[in-house]
Amino acid sequence: MEVYIRHLEKVLRRYVQRLQWLLSGPVLCSRTWYRWSTDRGIMMTAAPGSRRLFGTVLESKICILLDTSGSMGPYLQQVKTELVLLIWEQLRKRCDSFNLLSFAESLQLWQDTLVETTDAACHEAMQWVTHLQAQGSTSILQALLKAFSFRDLEGLYLLTDGKPDTSCSLVLNEVQRLREKRDVKVHTISLNCSDRAAVEFLRKLASFTGGRYHCPVGEDTLSKMCGLLTKGFINENDPTLPPFEGDDLRRLAQEITKARSFLWQAQSFRSQLQKKNDAEPKVTLS
């Protein structure tokens, strides 16, 4: 029982590390530092990191589809900042090639094809990002059709704050047709989790293509979880995790809840065994 409990505690510590990594990148619950890049007009931050907004990039040949419609105005500066982080933190380190595409009423491509992930390409992509502006409608279908035409593409990362300006079923049907020829995963990222119709559409699109749905955790939730993650919530009286929208965080939280339940059960059994042993009369050998 002692060995089992030690292993469960070790598993929980690993889960907490993974949760911390997914939520906030390299630094959590510590002082965030900033560096102002005057030549690019972007606030660079060492924390929380690109995974909080974009999740984890899995494929080596990818394209980022960025909604720049009018409704994205309140989010765009933050998205641009974290997109720059994504380029250097994940794409440069893990991807062989990439491209960027923004969509509103029309499409705006960084490059016509996927480009090898070099330092020079990342600098050029970062400059392109700084000029993005929010205006117009949300032409998700046109963006998906264009992105699927890129040769050797393996994964798409679609970031938006709402539904497409066309029928959701039309978009899903078109993606199904495209996937009959190309096995491309579409990972979706929602900036407006309160729009349940948009969330349902993005969940279906991701699930339908073998991708993942991601919804960033808000600042308030992160602040509440800071002490919880630092402590590790091993004890039964520690608070429970908040509900997560995104696939990765939700599944990990489910595993943590299950492991905590097993741990508490094992600790209860151990306590009962100890009480039983203490109650039994001691036999003295003469």
Side-chain angles (χ1 to χ4, degrees), residues 63-257:
C63 180
I64 306 295
L65 306 181
L66 181 64
D67 182 356
T68 53
S69 61
S71 60
M72 284 288 292
Y75 312 106
L76 191 57
Q77 187 56 47
Q78 176 196 358
V79 169
K80 289 162 68 171
T81 299
E82 300 204 30
L83 181 53
V84 170
L85 285 174
L86 177 76
I87 290 170
W88 292 105
E89 187 179 271
Q90 296 197 59
L91 305 191
R92 181 66 184 96
K93 295 178 180 179
R94 300 190 181 100
C95 294
D96 296 331
S97 58
F98 75 106
N99 199 357
L100 307 175
L101 187 159
S102 70
F103 61 92
E105 290 182 354
S106 59
L107 306 182
Q108 184 178 354
L109 282 75
W110 170 53
Q111 300 290 343
D112 293 330
T113 61
L114 298 186
V115 174
E116 182 182 358
T117 311
T118 62
D119 284 347
C122 290
H123 279 292
E124 291 179 13
M126 187 167 59
Q127 291 288 345
W128 182 84
V129 167
T130 64
H131 295 98
L132 294 175
Q133 295 182 341
Q135 58 183 356
S137 56
T138 311
S139 54
I140 290 179
L141 179 56
Q142 288 80 0
L144 289 168
L145 290 172
K146 182 61 180 179
F148 263 88
S149 71
F150 294 146
R151 184 177 178 182
D152 298 327
L153 182 71
E154 296 174 351
L156 291 173
Y157 291 78
L158 170 66
L159 185 147
T160 182
D161 69 333
K163 296 183 296 183
D165 56 4
T166 55
S167 165
C168 293
S169 59
L170 173 62
V171 175
L172 294 173
N173 290 336
E174 282 296 308
V175 171
Q176 181 181 19
R177 181 183 63 81
L178 292 169
R179 274 182 53 83
E180 291 175 355
K181 302 176 182 178
R182 304 279 307 278
D183 183 18
V184 175
K185 292 180 172 59
V186 181
H187 307 280
T188 57
I189 304 150
S190 174
L191 286 178
N192 184 9
C193 298
S194 61
D195 186 341
R196 303 315 298 176
V199 166
E200 185 62 23
F201 162 70
L202 294 172
R203 280 191 188 278
K204 286 182 179 179
L205 180 58
S207 176
F208 188 67
T209 61
R212 299 164 307 153
Y213 168 75
H214 182 70
C215 183
V217 175
E219 291 286 350
D220 290 343
T221 302
L222 275 180
S223 298
K224 292 177 182 177
M225 292 185 60
C226 179
L228 183 61
L229 288 176
T230 302
K231 184 177 181 181
F233 49 92
I234 294 293
N235 298 322
E236 186 172 1
N237 294 328
D238 289 334
T240 59
L241 290 170
F244 293 114
E245 287 277 356
D247 292 342
D248 284 352
L249 291 174
R250 189 181 70 255
R251 291 168 185 165
L252 184 57
Q254 290 170 349
E255 289 298 310
I256 289 174
T257 300

Side-chain angles (χ1 to χ4, degrees), residues 26-45:
V27 180
L28 178 69
C29 304
S30 63
R31 186 171 181 269
T32 302
W33 59 268
Y34 299 96
R35 174 171 58 86
W36 179 254
S37 180
T38 54
D39 58 328
R40 301 182 181 92
I42 287 182
M43 186 74 80
M44 301 288 287
T45 173

